[in-house]
Structure formats: structure tokens, C-alpha cells
Amino acid sequence: MFSKGSALLNRVMAAMLVVVLLVSCAPAVEVEETKPVEVLPTSTETPVSKGELKIANWGDINTLDPSYMTSTEREFTIMNSIYNGLVKYKEGTWEVVPDLALRWDISENNTEVTFHLRRGVQFHKGYGELTAEDVKFSFERIIDPEQGSPESASWAALDHVEIIDDYTVKLVLKMPSARLFTSTLPLNAGLIVSKKAVEEMGKEDFGLNPIGTGQYEFDHWTPGQETVLVVFKDYWGELPKIGKLIFIPIEEIGTVELALRAGEIDVGGISLLSIEAFQNNPAVDVYLKPGLKYWWIGFTVIVPPFDNLKVREAIRYAIDVDGILLAAFNGVPDRANTMFPPGMLGRWDDAPIYEQDLDKAEALLIEAGYPDGDGLEVTFLMWPQEENRIIGEVVKSQLDKVGINVSVVVLEVGAFNEATTSGKDNNFHISFFATTVDPGYATMWFICGETWNLSKWCNPEYDDLWEQADAEMDPQKRADLYVEMQKIIDEDAWAIWLTYDVGAVVMQKHVNPGELFPNGRLAPWQMEVEADK
């Protein structure tokens, strides 16, 4: 089972590197128009899709406004069903293909990108036709500092958006953006909202009453119970085959597994500890995909005692990462020794691997002023999940060996996010970030002042390198800059890297998954259920 996960990881990461290299050189790529019908008919003559799909969601949504997404795991699949972007990842791949844009032109200096839009695309619930004005509004609201969008770093290179005509729009960049097509435009920061709807409802109401142009439109949200989408009958493309999507928030993975066994839900993620049991269950299918994410234990560096570098280094030597992976992940995923998985552009291949060394840990604690861990009582923060519970137990036991007393505190996801993003009420925490094929996206969350910089770490040298890398169009030069950034993280020791994960998705036999993305993320508009279910 261990080798199977590793083989999956290696194949997909190799493909990822090819995608990043190609898309980073987007100005040299000719994008051919596929000659779709520009004035698109409505789909009222198309048979309405049937059936419904119940999907376990990792916790409840906070918003469905793509400019304010709080979790890729909880909200992106729903948003990706409601909205379109100018481009998208082709289902089943990380290839970037046209979506609302038929084609685009890139200037020689890579600072102007002109998109030619589809005509006749309709917003949900009668909000009219999508035009260049909606594109301008969607992107410029993110870079407006008064709007406080957590996605502002995604559009760090954007100066402004020019409207050429109703169906032609130009992005004017302050500098070239190597990740424009690999992570900014295909993800939530590139999704297009209805300007009219946002201005009419206001930001807060729009986030829970979203209006997009996607295959599904928002039906209702019952807090703590379900988020329901239904087929948008006037969708500009092919209608999906499932009429209703029901996303059910379940934080505890054990509860998800019980619901799958009972047939109460159709799709859900399971613990790696449970893979073999579900593979032996004839009522379901199991899909294993390398997780495009990174797990780590992070120290909040503005809070004592972790404002002390020696304490952080001591704990890095006190913790046995291999023991954590064996206990919490059944030894399935490979160990991480840096932020980037194998195959990602800019991976630091010879990053140090910190094995448990209690003598070194104790020596560093003496240097830090805590001989035998005397006086060190720390809080380890996490959200409810079986893997987290196990990690908490293992870390508590390991740190007890060097005299550090750990209190494990479990908070529901919203409270966990509030505590970690504020930097209050925690000393260190377990976390994972879902990322993209582009290294700029993986690293942007740790620049000074970034909302999702959970450790509250700030290093101006890191920030300067990030800006250089973001504008660097030469892949090798860009890769070298990211290696230097990872070295700075290692020197400041604010993270203990754990794994890149392997995602295990289970579906009932009557569900056809269509094209899953390489990291296991769903494309519900391509899925099917048997007619009698």
C-alpha cells in the first residue's frame, strides 16, 4: 500500500512539472479558438438532468464568494460548480483550457493579456448576460485594499482591467506574472461574479446567495445541515447529468465513514487507516489520488515560547515525523522534508531531513533557557479529525520526553481558523494547505501580513524573493528563487513538514465519478448516478 501511494505521487508530480513549465511560458503558446457558437442558445430544449448526489463536505461553508474563500477543501468544489473563470483546468488534468474566454492575446513584454469572451452567457436567477464589466469588477474588487480580500496576493501583479468592448477585456499587469495561468485564473481568484448581484445584495449577502454562470445554481444553505445546488437550465454549455448536488458538512472523518457504509451519502473522503477495509467492501469503489497539499506542524512565532528560535529548533529535533506518519496515516504517504512535493518546479531536492534526536533537543532547550523543558507548557491546536487526534497524542508523548507539557486543544473548524489567523490562543498547531501546480501559490501565504500566514512569521528577504519569482518568466531562474525561499523557512524553523498526503475518495457503486482531477477533487458536472437511485 505504501509503494502504491508513492508511485501515484511520482507519476502525477512529474506531469505537474511539465504543466508548470509549459504554462509559465504562456506568451509563446498559440491558443486556438475552438469555434464554439458565440451567440449561445439557451438549453430549455435539453432534457433536465435527473437524480441527486449526496457529498460529504469537510465542514460547513463560510462563504461562496470566490474573492473571500476560506477553505479550498470546504468551498472550492461548490464554487467551481457555480461559477466559471476565463480559463479552467481541463477535467482530469492540470491542463489550462478556455472557459468563458474563447481565446487570448499576450503582449511581448507579458504585461498585457487581452481576453475575447463568449457571447450569450447568462448569469443565474435572471441577472443577465455576462460582459467585460463583470470581469473587470470581479478582479478589481480583489485588489481594492478597502475590500479586504484574502486573495489579494493572488492578483499581486494586477494593476487594472480595461474594457475594450462588451466582449473584450484586457488585464494590465504591473509586472509579468508567471503564475497567472497556473494558479490565479483557474482557481477561485479567477472566477467571475455578477457585478449587478454583488452591488445589489452587498458582500455578506452575496456570499450566501451566490450568482455565477456555472452548470449549477445555488438553491439553499441550511447551516450545519446542507448546501444544495440544482442544474442551471440556461447554462451556456452541456448540462450536467445529475440534477441536484447536496453537500453535507461532516467534520469527523469517522462519521463520514459510517455514513458511507450505511449508504446515507454517495461520496466522501476516508482516513488512510480505513483504505483496506473499504477496498474489501463490494458496495463501494475507492479512488486513491496523490494529495496536492502539504501538512505541517506550525509554530506561532509571535507567542512565547515559540518567539524563541532555539525552542522551535529543539522541538523540531524532539518530534519523530516518521512515527507520526505511521500512527496517523498508516504509513501510506511519503514523508515531506520541505514544502514542495517531488516534481514541483522549485523543489529543494537536498533539503535536510530532521530525524528525532533527543540529545540535540535537550541541548537546544538549555540554550533557550529551558533546561529539562522546565516551565514549558504549550498549547497544540487542531480541528476535529481522527488523524489530528492521533498526531496530538503522538506529539504530546514525544515532547514529554524532553520535559515539555503539551495541552491538546480541539476546536471546530471555524474557531480553529479564527484562532490561527489571529495568532491568539495557540502556541503551535497542525495544519494543511491545499495548493496548485504552481509554486507561487504554495508560497504566497507566508509573506508578511498575509491573512493565512498562520505562524505570523515575517521575513522581508523571503517576501523580496517571492516578488522576484512571481515576475520571473524563466523557469530555471524562478526555480532557483523558490529554493532560496525554502532555505529561509528552514533557517527560521517555523514549520515541521509532515507529508504531501494521499487522498482516498469513496463512492457508492451507483456513482460514476467522471473525470476526477489529479488530486482527487471532484468535477460534479461530469459525474453520473444510476437512474433508479
Side-chain angles (χ1 to χ4, degrees), residues 331-352:
V332 174
D334 287 340
R335 175 179 175 171
N337 60 329
T338 187
M339 183 187 297
F340 294 0
M344 182 174 278
L345 182 75
R347 174 176 164 84
W348 182 17
D349 287 323
D350 55 353

Side-chain angles (χ1 to χ4, degrees), residues 340 345-348 439 443 461-462 464-488:
F340 294 0
L345 182 75
R347 174 176 164 84
W348 182 17
T443 52
E461 184 182 359
Y462 176 95
D464 181 61
L465 290 170
W466 185 85
E467 290 181 3
Q468 291 180 49
D470 204 42
E472 180 56 67
M473 301 303 289
D474 182 302
Q476 186 55 58
K477 291 179 180 178
R478 193 172 181 230
D480 292 342
L481 291 167
Y482 286 117
V483 170
E484 291 304 310
M485 292 163 61
Q486 291 166 85
K487 290 180 179 179
I488 292 172

Side-chain angles (χ1 to χ4, degrees), residues 82-222:
I82 294 173
Y83 300 98
N84 296 105
L86 298 177
V87 302
K88 68 175 184 176
Y89 295 126
K90 182 180 178 181
E91 293 83 356
T93 74
W94 296 128
E95 178 186 356
V96 176
V97 297
D99 197 13
L100 292 175
L102 296 170
R103 63 187 186 279
W104 52 89
D105 310 302
I106 303 175
S107 66
E108 289 187 9
N109 65 358
N110 300 309
T111 61
E112 294 184 351
V113 187
T114 303
F115 290 92
H116 304 272
L117 306 179
R118 297 179 185 271
R119 298 173 183 240
V121 174
Q122 298 297 312
F123 279 109
H124 304 154
K125 303 186 188 301
Y127 273 91
E129 185 184 14
L130 176 140
T131 69
E133 187 69 38
D134 298 294
V135 177
K136 177 180 174 68
F137 176 81
S138 296
F139 298 162
E140 289 190 348
R141 70 194 290 246
I142 294 177
I143 64 173
D144 181 354
E146 293 186 2
Q147 297 299 316
S149 170
E151 291 296 330
S152 58
S154 296
W155 282 110
L158 182 64
D159 185 79
H160 66 279
V161 180
E162 293 180 5
I163 296 173
I164 309 302
D165 58 43
D166 280 352
Y167 306 106
T168 312
V169 63
K170 180 190 292 185
L171 307 189
V172 180
L173 308 179
K174 293 177 283 189
M175 63 199 79
S177 176
R179 62 195 168 93
L180 180 65
F181 283 90
T182 53
S183 66
T184 301
L185 288 171
L187 281 173
N188 59 295
L191 298 176
I192 308 302
V193 302
S194 164
K195 176 184 178 183
K196 179 181 178 182
V198 174
E199 292 182 338
E200 181 180 291
M201 297 182 199
K203 180 176 71 176
E204 298 301 325
D205 285 348
F206 179 83
L208 298 175
N209 296 278
I211 301 295
T213 58
Q215 294 96 324
Y216 287 94
E217 62 181 330
F218 178 78
D219 185 78
H220 71 270
W221 171 55
T222 303

Side-chain angles (χ1 to χ4, degrees), residues 41-48 233-234 239:
T42 62
S43 54
T44 53
E45 296 181 1
T46 305
V48 177
K233 298 177 184 178
D234 293 328
L239 286 181

Side-chain angles (χ1 to χ4, degrees), residues 297 318-319 324 377-378 380 382 388-409 428:
I297 293 171
I319 286 180
I324 289 174
E377 296 189 4
V378 297
F380 189 27
M382 59 189 62
N388 288 351
R389 182 188 65 76
I390 296 170
I391 292 171
E393 291 176 354
V394 173
V395 168
K396 181 178 177 65
S397 173
Q398 291 175 350
L399 295 190
D400 184 63
K401 294 176 182 178
V402 292
I404 299 175
N405 183 30
V406 178
S407 296
V408 177
V409 175
F428 68 137

Side-chain angles (χ1 to χ4, degrees), residues 249-269:
I250 308 175
E251 291 183 5
E252 292 279 2
I253 201 162
T255 306
V256 174
E257 293 175 355
L258 288 173
L260 284 165
R261 291 189 181 100
E264 295 170 352
I265 58 175
D266 299 303
V267 181

Side-chain angles (χ1 to χ4, degrees), residues 384-438:
Q385 187 165 315
E386 180 64 11
E387 288 91 343
N388 288 351
R389 182 188 65 76
I390 296 170
I391 292 171
E393 291 176 354
V394 173
V395 168
K396 181 178 177 65
S397 173
Q398 291 175 350
L399 295 190
D400 184 63
K401 294 176 182 178
V402 292
I404 299 175
N405 183 30
V406 178
S407 296
V408 177
V409 175
V410 180
L411 298 176
E412 59 87 19
V413 174
F416 172 86
N417 285 341
E418 183 178 351
T420 50
T421 55
S422 69
K424 299 177 182 178
D425 303 322
N426 82 100
N427 297 126
F428 68 137
H429 46 266
I430 184 72
S431 195
F432 72 78
F433 279 179
T435 186
T436 73
V437 295
D438 192 276

